[in-house]
Amino acid sequence: MAGSRPTKILSVKDQIAEQLRSDIISGDLAPNTKLNEKELAERFGLSRGPIRDVILQLTKEGLLISKNNVGASVNSVLDTSMQKLMINLRRNIEVYAIEQLHGSLTDKDFIELDKILDELQSAFEREDYTEVTKVDISFHRFIIYKAGGDELVNIWYPFVMRMRLNYKRITSGDACVNEHRVIVEALRGGDVTKATKAVKANIR
């Protein structure tokens, strides 16, 4: 999902969705900002039909909220108790994923995870924090997908994206990369307990 990882050719609608995700993650589209279909259609040079499809997709992901006769807007920031609930739910899903892997990750999978860690380090060095967030998400998504495929990803993804609207935890590049590297090394060593502990430490 990271922009620097051309794993597949994105459709026009996917490209627009990715751009709007970036705008929301970066804060260019702040919480509660209303989206204007006509303006978005003009911005991307499309009819309003594909824009509606993108808005529907981002609503399913939890980034937007749509109301009848009002239109779509960027979702609001979660209050403290809801944020804690989201963190706990996401942790439970990721711990479940770690337990489901049963040492099934291959050498090829670990090469891919190492590449993602390199991208994470590079994004920090460029001080591209929108890309940091997207690469961070792609790291966790890779593990979730390997554990449960699209079905588990579809359960997990809205929690992650919704939490991003609250995300203020400042971590240095080295600390963030190391948190993820501990997860990889625990998985590489088949240490479920250590991997679980590392995931819980990373999601907070």
Side-chain angles (χ1 to χ4, degrees):
M1 295 184 64
S4 59
R5 297 174 64 229
T7 53
K8 63 179 181 179
I9 297 171
L10 296 177
S11 70
V12 172
K13 283 193 288 192
D14 285 341
Q15 290 177 48
I16 294 169
E18 189 67 9
Q19 182 59 56
L20 291 177
R21 283 189 203 100
S22 295
D23 290 347
I24 293 169
I25 289 168
S26 68
D28 288 345
L29 282 173
N32 303 311
T33 301
K34 289 186 177 180
L35 299 187
N36 184 299
E37 284 184 11
K38 183 171 181 290
E39 289 177 2
L40 288 173
E42 290 172 355
R43 172 184 173 185
F44 294 109
L46 292 172
S47 66
R48 290 166 75 162
I51 297 298
R52 287 193 194 100
D53 290 343
V54 170
I55 287 173
L56 178 61
Q57 175 64 33
L58 296 184
T59 299
K60 289 179 179 177
E61 292 176 10
L63 286 175
L64 302 179
I65 185 166
S66 296
K67 295 180 181 178
N68 290 336
N69 304 319
V70 177
S73 60
V74 179
N75 221 331
S76 59
V77 173
L78 292 162
D79 65 34
T80 303
S81 62
M82 282 290 288
Q83 177 74 351
K84 286 180 180 177
L85 175 62
M86 287 280 189
I87 289 170
N88 287 332
L89 290 169
R90 181 183 166 189
R91 276 179 176 163
N92 287 341
I93 294 169
E94 298 210 18
V95 167
Y96 171 84
I98 295 291
E99 292 170 346
Q100 292 302 303
L101 287 171
H102 299 304
S104 62
L105 294 177
T106 65
D107 289 342
K108 185 178 179 182
D109 292 331
F110 284 112
I111 289 171
E112 183 65 19
L113 285 167
D114 288 338
K115 283 181 183 177
I116 297 173
L117 291 178
D118 288 343
E119 290 170 9
L120 191 60
Q121 183 71 55
S122 176
F124 267 112
E125 289 171 359
R126 297 195 310 272
E127 298 185 357
D128 184 347
Y129 295 110
T130 298
E131 187 67 9
V132 165
T133 295
K134 290 161 74 174
V135 177
D136 187 328
I137 292 169
S138 76
F139 174 91
H140 292 271
R141 186 187 185 283
F142 185 90
I143 292 172
I144 295 290
Y145 182 80
K146 286 294 176 179
D150 286 330
E151 185 174 13
L152 191 57
V153 168
N154 289 339
I155 294 170
W156 164 86
Y157 195 61
F159 292 113
V160 179
M161 300 310 289
R162 189 75 171 85
M163 285 170 61
R164 289 293 135 178
L165 298 175
N166 282 60
Y167 204 62
K168 296 291 187 293
R169 183 164 74 92
I170 304 300
T171 309
S172 71
D174 288 341
C176 181
V177 174
N178 286 339
E179 282 182 16
H180 291 83
R181 198 175 301 283
V182 170
I183 297 170
V184 173
E185 292 311 314
L187 290 172
R188 206 189 308 265
D191 191 334
V192 174
T193 301
K194 186 177 179 181
T196 295
K197 185 178 178 181
V199 162
K200 287 181 177 178
N202 179 243
I203 302 168
R204 61 186 192 272

